[in-house]
Every structure is written in C-alpha cells, then in structure tokens.
Amino acid sequence: MEYIGKIEYDKKIRNGIGDIVIFGAGNMLRELLGDLEKLGIKDRVVCICDNSSEVCGKTEDGIFICSASQVFKDYKDADYIVYNKYSLDICRQLMENGIAKIHFIRR
C-alpha cells in the first residue's frame, strides 16, 4: 500500500511521473477524474479497470475501461487508485495479483 487518504495529499501520485490505473468504473469515477484534472495529472491515467464485464470495452471521459486480468498483465508497475464502495475488496484483489502501488483514496 502506497497511500491512504485524500487524493490532494497523496504526494506520490501528485509528484510522480508514471502511469495511473483507476480501479472501478462506478458512481464515484467522475468525481475522481475531476479531482485528477484539478491536480493536473489526469493525463497520466492510462486506463480504468473494472471487474464488471458490462462496462469493459467502453470509455469514460475518453479513457478505455478494461478487465482486471488484462490490466494486471499490461500495467503491473502502475500506480493504482482505488476510490469506490468496494475499496477493501479491490485492495485485496490487487495485493493478491502482485500490485504494490495501491493508493486507497478516502473522502
């Protein structure tokens, strides 16, 4: 786990240069994308990941939504932002798949 707290205080995300993956394409996604836009780092988001096959293959705000299995292969070293109602389950899933850079965002 890299960080737990509010996105605006996450120095590793704000000051980083690497890829960002957002895990979860649910109701809170637009709010998170707005926060990343305000911080000037939305352009680092390479994809949105979701466990629901219903949303995979679609886009949100121009960002492609793909399956977890694909993202874990393609972006193993990315910073993963988790901000939704399934956050604890998602964090467990990420850790079980060897993802180390997890940013657990809370409001």
Side-chain angles (χ1 to χ4, degrees):
M1 191 80 62
E2 289 283 309
Y3 177 80
I4 299 173
K6 294 184 177 191
I7 188 79
E8 57 266 25
Y9 301 123
D10 186 345
K11 292 179 183 177
K12 290 186 177 185
I13 284 286
R14 283 192 359 244
N15 300 329
I17 57 171
D19 294 335
I20 295 173
V21 173
I22 297 172
F23 201 122
N27 296 335
M28 301 165 106
L29 177 60
R30 285 210 158 275
E31 185 177 334
L32 177 59
L33 289 172
D35 290 344
L36 295 175
E37 182 75 40
K38 288 177 195 168
L39 293 171
I41 57 175
K42 183 179 160 205
D43 61 328
R44 291 180 36 216
V45 177
V46 292
C47 67
I48 299 162
C49 172
D50 202 278
N51 286 321
S52 170
S53 60
E54 293 178 19
V55 296
C56 292
K58 297 180 180 181
T59 61
E60 178 67 42
D61 204 15
I63 303 168
F64 190 70
I65 302 171
C66 37
S67 69
S69 59
Q70 186 62 45
V71 172
F72 295 157
K73 287 185 237 172
D74 294 345
Y75 299 106
K76 192 104 176 148
D77 296 323
D79 285 288
Y80 282 70
I81 296 177
V82 179
Y83 175 58
N84 64 51
K85 65 181 178 180
Y86 303 107
S87 294
L88 293 177
D89 293 331
I90 291 170
C91 285
R92 266 190 226 103
Q93 181 182 1
L94 290 170
M95 289 186 279
E96 288 169 1
N97 283 279
I99 304 300
K101 297 181 199 174
I102 303 168
H103 301 259
F104 185 41
I105 303 305
R106 307 297 293 163
R107 269 278 177 233

